[in-house]
Amino acid sequence: MNPLKKSRRLPSILLFFIYFIIISSLAAFITVRQLPGDTSRCDYCQNKEARNLSDSLDVLLNQVQQSFGNNAINLTLGVVKDGQVFLKKNYGYSNPEKKTAFSDHSQIYLASTSKSLTGTLAAVLDHKGIIKLDRTLADYLPELNFEDKNIHPDQITIASLITHTHGIKNNDAVVWTAFIGHKGNEQLMDILKKYTTALPDTSFYYSNLGSVIYALIVERQTGKPWQQVMANEVFKPLGMHSTTAYISKVNPHYLSYVIDDSEGKQTSVFDKADNSMSAAGGHLSTVDDLLKYLQFFLSDGDSTPGLLSNKQLMFARSPIVVQSNRYQSYGRYGYGLGWEQSIFNEEKLVSRLGGYSGISSHLSFIKDRNIGIVVLSNKKGMEALPHLVANYLYNSILNKKNKDSILKANLVSLKQNFDSDLKETKKVNEAMRVKIPMDEKYAGIYKGGERSGYMEINKKGKVSWGNLKGQLYMLSDSTGLINFRTMLRSFSVKKDHGAVLGVYSNERYFSR
């Protein structure tokens, strides 16, 4: 599901000059200018080295902004170095409509970075003997009997759930828990029993499913919501008082929204609710809290004595299982308890990244160098920017000679991200220009059954699908697209002799 953006941009050919402009600017060290219409500042610089790095980052982001059509830069970031907070900076707005600037109080959705937090909970509960990593699904959820008899719950360990090596798949459980909002554990259990299928083997296969099932086990074993257990066992001991899995407990003033301008005007959007916040991607946090979290791992637990031992922390961040792929500048080779292990510029990087249609989170550390970085953003089309910034910060702090060449490669990724988003936005703009009216006989409630829930379309083309709210734009008499702002989905009508039988949205069918 790619993000969306409006099509007002500089001609694309100018983007090819971005690399020359940026690298030249850095080499010449041009005068630092505040980003236009922005609130860029160094909220905390530990020393002169940090201030120089802050200034250099301003130069870089200033040029990125100009080269990408003066698109606003929206980032909040922090660096911990040698056990201390080294640098904190905020750029732009968490909510541009209300002109709420990013700050130390801004709480932003972490998406899949949440898997690291869930992995740490798994380590803590294993340490306390509440849920042991080497025990099985059959031990903790004996009532979870899958209809697919190729699945053997007594062979699926808790560790395999956390490390994506459980060997099962269920996209419906993911859709309910991450997008439209589930209706409780009983519903989830039914979906898991009926629609989970066995994968060919138990090799690494990344998905939300393992963490979703683990949360059910946590509630079964403790008698408390997994969100509360997470707060009691991880967040409170670490002093992460602004981190929560409950949208309902966040002050709207501090909530960071997705910045969307796909329909010709800038809009702040956030379609998450408590029932679509899962253990796989369901936390909001601040840079300050995540810096405390990084310090815990970098200090081998000394920052919060007694929570986990050095040995347990090493296990959590170690490559428990093997993977082999490349993302951005990271050659991934392993996966631990929610943490990924990669080689970045000849350094061993431990990271957990997340993304949700405009939201992008980067959380990582290099243990050998005693450095950790968090970068969070909320701007559609710029989802690759936090990783570019984190890489630039690492390479600058470590005085890497090849930092310019890595920056160029990261700019290629950012441009691809930007162009992909621009292509999606053009689809919305073209549909808006066509102005084909929706046949009012399409209005009504459509049933997607246990797997997809209900979709409602009113006479003006407003669409509701659980927590998702969007606008239907027709491309022909019976086809169109639905702009949910945080995702774009296809739409088509199924008819029989003129009678409307149902509608398709991507691969999902909803009957009349």
Side-chain angles (χ1 to χ4, degrees):
M1 289 173 288
N2 294 320
L4 313 172
K5 276 183 124 27
K6 65 184 179 182
S7 60
R8 290 183 296 177
R9 300 284 188 268
L10 291 179
S12 59
I13 192 171
L14 293 181
L15 297 178
F16 289 103
F17 293 102
I18 184 170
Y19 318 125
F20 174 79
I21 295 172
I22 291 178
I23 303 305
S24 299
S25 298
L26 288 172
F29 199 68
I30 64 171
T31 303
V32 177
R33 293 170 289 174
Q34 187 174 9
L35 297 176
D38 190 67
T39 54
S40 169
R41 60 190 178 281
C42 185
D43 289 284
Y44 177 80
C45 288
Q46 186 185 47
N47 51 32
K48 184 177 179 180
E49 179 188 359
R51 286 192 293 273
N52 288 341
L53 181 59
S54 172
D55 290 345
S56 176
L57 185 59
D58 285 345
V59 172
L60 170 63
L61 294 181
N62 189 2
Q63 294 301 315
V64 170
Q65 177 172 329
Q66 293 182 34
S67 299
F68 281 85
N70 273 329
N71 250 304
I73 297 295
N74 296 275
L75 288 173
T76 178
L77 65 92
V79 180
V80 60
K81 181 174 180 284
D82 298 326
Q84 303 294 324
V85 175
F86 178 73
L87 174 68
K88 288 194 298 182
K89 285 182 70 68
N90 289 285
Y91 296 88
Y93 299 103
S94 61
N95 186 335
E97 286 186 291
K98 295 185 178 180
K99 301 299 182 185
T100 306
F102 265 124
S103 72
D104 290 351
H105 302 293
S106 299
Q107 291 171 282
I108 189 167
Y109 178 62
L110 299 182
S112 287
T113 296
S114 296
K115 291 182 177 70
S116 166
L117 303 176
T118 300
T120 300
L121 174 65
V124 171
L125 296 185
D126 175 76
H127 169 59
K128 293 187 173 185
I130 297 172
I131 301 173
K132 299 297 292 181
L133 289 167
D134 59 359
R135 298 285 292 276
T136 69
L137 188 53
D139 292 327
Y140 292 119
L141 281 180
E143 68 272 31
L144 184 50
N145 299 309
F146 300 101
E147 291 187 4
D148 185 341
K149 298 309 176 185
N150 291 315
I151 301 173
H152 305 288
D154 60 343
Q155 298 176 16
I156 298 175
T157 65
I158 304 307
S160 73
L161 292 176
I162 302 299
T163 59
H164 308 283
T165 53
H166 42 70
I168 56 177
K169 181 179 181 179
N170 190 317
N171 289 334
D172 301 311
V174 173
V175 166
W176 278 101
T177 54
F179 302 106
I180 58 179
H182 70 90
K183 299 177 181 178
N185 290 350
E186 184 177 346
Q187 181 212 24
L188 281 181
M189 290 290 285
D190 286 341
I191 291 172
L192 289 169
K193 290 177 182 178
K194 295 178 181 179
Y195 305 114
T196 302
T197 57
L199 293 170
D201 54 48
T202 57
S203 58
F204 181 85
Y205 180 83
Y206 183 86
S207 77
N208 285 0
L209 185 59
S211 295
V212 169
I213 294 175
Y214 181 73
L216 291 173
I217 294 171
V218 170
E219 297 197 7
R220 169 72 179 272
Q221 291 302 112
T222 65
K224 300 175 182 177
W226 69 268
Q227 298 95 328
Q228 182 181 334
V229 178
M230 180 78 79
N232 293 339
E233 300 291 349
V234 178
F235 301 151
K236 289 181 182 178
L238 292 177
M240 298 170 66
H241 302 302
S242 296
T243 304
T244 180
Y246 289 110
I247 295 292
S248 58
K249 293 186 178 181
V250 174
N251 185 331
H253 179 74
Y254 297 127
L255 178 64
S256 175
Y257 293 74
V258 175
I259 299 175
D260 173 75
D261 50 13
S262 62
E263 295 181 351
K265 63 179 181 179
Q266 195 171 77
T267 306
S268 299
V269 182
F270 195 72
D271 58 18
K272 287 286 183 176
D274 287 352
N275 64 353
S276 58
M277 296 281 281
S278 78
H283 292 92
L284 296 108
S285 190
T286 63
V287 163
D288 278 353
D289 275 10
L290 293 174
L291 289 175
K292 293 175 184 176
Y293 186 58
L294 289 175
Q295 285 174 307
F296 176 62
F297 276 87
L298 285 167
S299 70
D300 292 326
D302 290 345
S303 66
T304 309
L307 184 58
L308 286 172
S309 69
N310 181 9
K311 182 178 180 180
Q312 290 160 340
L313 280 172
M314 286 181 64
F315 179 73
R317 68 173 186 254
S318 69
I320 299 171
V321 301
V322 174
Q323 63 166 318
S324 180
N325 65 80
R326 188 165 188 85
Y327 178 76
Q328 301 292 332
S329 299
Y330 317 122
R332 292 169 167 171
Y333 64 87
Y335 197 96
L337 296 183
W339 289 104
E340 287 187 290
Q341 295 74 39
S342 306
I343 297 298
F344 165 67
N345 203 8
E346 301 183 340
E347 305 287 344
K348 291 183 178 180
L349 183 77
V350 179
S351 65
R352 182 84 288 271
L353 314 180
Y356 179 78
S357 298
I359 295 288
S360 182
S361 56
H362 178 110
L363 183 71
S364 68
F365 60 92
I366 301 176
K367 184 69 172 64
D368 294 342
R369 301 288 195 158
N370 207 5
I371 303 172
I373 292 176
V374 54
V375 188
L376 311 171
S377 73
N378 63 352
K379 181 68 175 176
K380 282 187 172 184
M382 304 295 277
E383 288 90 344
L385 186 59
H387 315 312
L388 179 153
V389 169
N391 296 346
Y392 178 78
L393 292 171
Y394 278 125
N395 286 334
S396 297
I397 294 170
L398 297 175
N399 294 313
K400 293 286 188 176
K401 294 181 179 179
N402 61 345
K403 72 175 185 179
D404 288 352
S405 63
I406 290 178
L407 177 59
K408 289 180 181 179
N410 292 163
L411 285 165
V412 171
S413 295
L414 181 60
K415 182 179 182 296
Q416 290 171 343
N417 184 185
F418 185 88
D419 288 348
S420 176
D421 179 79
L422 182 59
K423 188 180 296 184
E424 294 280 354
T425 301
K426 286 181 178 178
K427 292 181 181 179
V428 177
N429 292 340
E430 288 168 3
M432 292 175 68
R433 284 195 296 270
V434 171
K435 294 183 179 179
I436 296 176
M438 185 193 79
D439 191 328
E440 290 190 1
K441 67 183 179 183
Y442 298 161
I445 298 175
Y446 296 84
K447 298 179 293 183
E450 293 177 305
R451 307 185 72 168
S452 302
Y454 291 88
M455 180 178 288
E456 183 174 359
I457 306 172
N458 73 11
K459 293 182 179 181
K460 294 184 178 180
K462 299 291 184 183
V463 182
S464 295
W465 183 29
N467 294 334
L468 304 176
K469 313 297 179 185
Q471 179 66 48
L472 169 62
Y473 295 103
M474 301 302 297
L475 298 173
S476 70
D477 174 66
S478 58
T479 64
L481 56 83
I482 307 172
N483 184 14
F484 282 119
R485 299 300 182 92
T486 51
M487 69 177 72
L488 186 66
R489 293 181 67 89
S490 64
F491 174 86
S492 62
V493 181
K494 181 179 180 180
K495 300 178 183 179
D496 183 20
H497 296 93
V500 178
L501 301 182
V503 299
Y504 288 94
S505 180
N506 287 20
E507 78 286 357
R508 295 184 178 270
Y509 178 69
F510 300 80
S511 64
R512 191 63 183 260

